[in-house]
Amino acid sequence: MITKIPHSNYQKNKCSFDIRGDKRNHFLPGNLFIGLCAALPITLALPVEALQVQVNPKNPRLGDTVSVVINLDNPDNTNNPTVSVGEKTYPAFEVAPNKYRAFIPTTPLEKPGTRKIRVSGDGQVQELSVPVVTRKFPVQRITLPPGKSADGATQHELNRAAAFKALQTPQKYWNGKFLRPNNGRISTVYGVRRYYNGKFANDYYHRGLDYAGAAGSRVVAPAAGKVALVGTVAQGFRVHGNTVGIDHGQGVVSIFLHLSRINVKEGDFVKAGQLIGTVGSTGASTGPHLHWGLYVNGQSIDPTSWKNKTFE
C-alpha cells in the first residue's frame, strides 16, 4: 500500500512516499522516488479549467454587433460550442484550432439593459452578463410620391430578401475592416426612425447607411464574398429597386438597394473594392443614393463599427 508521508517530510521532498509492509517501514531515498514518480502512472485530480470566453465590446450600444470568442482546451473536441441569449441560439464558427466565435446582433427596437449570454462547450457552461447601453436615434419625415410607397413591396422581393438575410454560410470570406461602398457623403445614418407621408412607421428603423452618391457613381463590395442575391425592378423588386446582396459568410451579409446598373450575377465571388453596380434611384427612393444594409444573423446592425474595426 502506498500512502503519503507526513506533511513535514513532504515539504522536504515532495515526491517521497512511505511504503508500509507487514512488519516494518521502508523509506526509500528521495532520488529513487523521483524516478518512481516519473515511472508510475499516478493520476492527479486536477481542477477543470473553465471555458475561456471573451466578449467585445464590453459595453455595447443598441445597434452594435457583440462578438463572443470561445477557447476550448480539449483538442479532441468535435462539437462546436453553443451561444444563446434567452431562447435565441447563435451559431459559433471555428476561426482557429479550438477557437470559436459567435456574433450577437442588437437593434434599435430592443430595450437597453443586461443581456445574459450562456456559453456551452466541452461539457461546461458559463454565463455572462453584458450591459447593452441605450442610444438615441434621429427621427425623420419622408414624403413619397404615388407609386413609391414603402408598403408596396411584392411578396417575391420580400421572400427573396428574407431568405438572403437569413444565410449562415459556414465559410468566412471577409478579412479586415469593411470598406465604404461609395464615395458620397452619408445622408442618412443607421437606426433613424421615420414618418412616411405623415404616418409613423411602427417597428421600423433605417436598416443601414445611405450614401448620397451621384447617379451612376461606383458601388463597390465593402468586403469579399459571394453574390447571393440579384433582383431587378422588372422581376418585382418595387421597393428595393435594383438590388445586389453579398454573402460574406458566417451569418454576415450586405445588401445594396436602388442601383441604376448591376455589374455582377448570382454566384460570382467578389473581392473587397470590386465594382458591383452604380448608384441610382430605383424602387422606393426620392432621389439618387445608395442604401447599404449590413445584417448579422438575420438582424440589421450598424455597419459603422465594421468599417472602424476588424471583426475576427
Side-chain angles (χ1 to χ4, degrees):
M1 179 177 71
I2 301 178
T3 60
K4 264 188 175 180
I5 64 172
H7 179 74
S8 59
N9 290 334
Y10 175 76
Q11 293 298 329
K12 296 177 183 178
N13 189 337
K14 293 184 178 179
C15 201
S16 295
F17 292 85
D18 176 8
I19 300 181
R20 300 183 181 276
D22 292 334
K23 295 183 179 179
R24 57 179 180 171
N25 296 341
H26 298 275
F27 289 91
L28 299 183
N31 289 342
L32 179 58
F33 268 96
I34 291 175
L36 183 61
C37 285
L40 291 178
I42 300 174
T43 302
L44 302 178
L46 296 176
V48 177
E49 291 189 16
L51 288 172
Q52 299 177 38
V53 181
Q54 287 184 320
V55 176
N56 282 300
K58 302 296 183 185
N59 296 284
R61 301 185 306 162
L62 291 175
D64 283 348
T65 303
V66 179
S67 174
V68 181
V69 177
I70 307 140
N71 287 280
L72 301 181
D73 292 326
N74 182 7
D76 298 322
N77 178 70
T78 57
N79 297 318
N80 288 19
T82 60
V83 176
S84 59
V85 178
E87 299 299 318
K88 180 68 175 178
T89 299
Y90 300 94
F93 296 98
E94 189 170 19
V95 294
N98 294 318
K99 185 177 182 179
Y100 299 81
R101 185 259 302 122
F103 287 138
I104 300 174
T106 67
T107 77
L109 299 183
E110 299 175 19
K111 292 182 179 180
T114 301
R115 301 293 190 273
K116 300 289 187 180
I117 301 176
R118 181 183 175 90
V119 181
S120 303
D122 256 358
Q124 304 171 55
V125 176
Q126 187 173 143
E127 293 187 348
L128 305 92
S129 296
V130 177
V132 178
V133 183
T134 190
R135 176 180 174 187
K136 290 184 178 180
F137 296 98
V139 175
Q140 194 175 56
R141 296 179 181 271
I142 298 290
T143 300
L144 294 174
K148 292 279 189 177
S149 171
D151 295 328
T154 66
Q155 197 60 47
H156 172 70
E157 67 179 310
L158 292 176
N159 290 345
R160 297 249 12 234
F164 167 73
K165 294 168 185 176
L167 291 174
Q168 292 179 335
T169 306
Q171 291 81 10
K172 175 179 177 287
Y173 299 126
W174 83 89
N175 184 31
K177 298 177 182 178
F178 279 42
L179 307 177
R180 59 183 299 146
N182 181 261
N183 288 329
R185 66 177 178 84
I186 294 177
S187 55
T188 307
V189 297
Y190 167 85
V192 171
R193 309 303 302 275
R194 277 180 176 170
Y195 286 85
Y196 281 105
N197 296 342
K199 182 179 179 181
F200 185 71
N202 291 315
D203 300 327
Y204 168 87
Y205 63 95
H206 188 239
R207 289 167 165 80
L209 298 174
D210 282 354
Y211 290 83
S217 59
R218 290 167 54 89
V219 177
V220 302
K226 184 176 293 185
V227 177
L229 173 65
V230 170
T232 65
V233 174
Q235 295 170 339
F237 277 64
R238 290 199 307 226
V239 169
H240 292 72
N242 296 331
T243 300
V244 170
I246 299 175
D247 177 12
H248 303 296
Q250 298 188 346
V252 182
V253 300
S254 285
I255 192 166
F256 306 90
L257 310 184
H258 314 306
L259 303 174
S260 60
R261 188 174 76 242
I262 294 174
N263 291 71
V264 291
K265 63 182 183 301
E266 289 185 13
D268 286 351
F269 186 87
V270 295
K271 298 179 180 178
Q274 181 175 331
L275 179 70
I276 60 172
T278 57
V279 170
S281 187
T282 56
S285 168
T286 57
H289 74 285
L290 170 69
H291 175 93
W292 171 32
L294 186 60
Y295 287 74
V296 170
N297 290 323
Q299 297 295 323
S300 167
I301 51 82
D302 192 346
T304 305
S305 59
W306 287 74
K307 294 191 301 174
N308 294 335
K309 68 178 181 180
T310 298
F311 282 83
E312 187 173 21

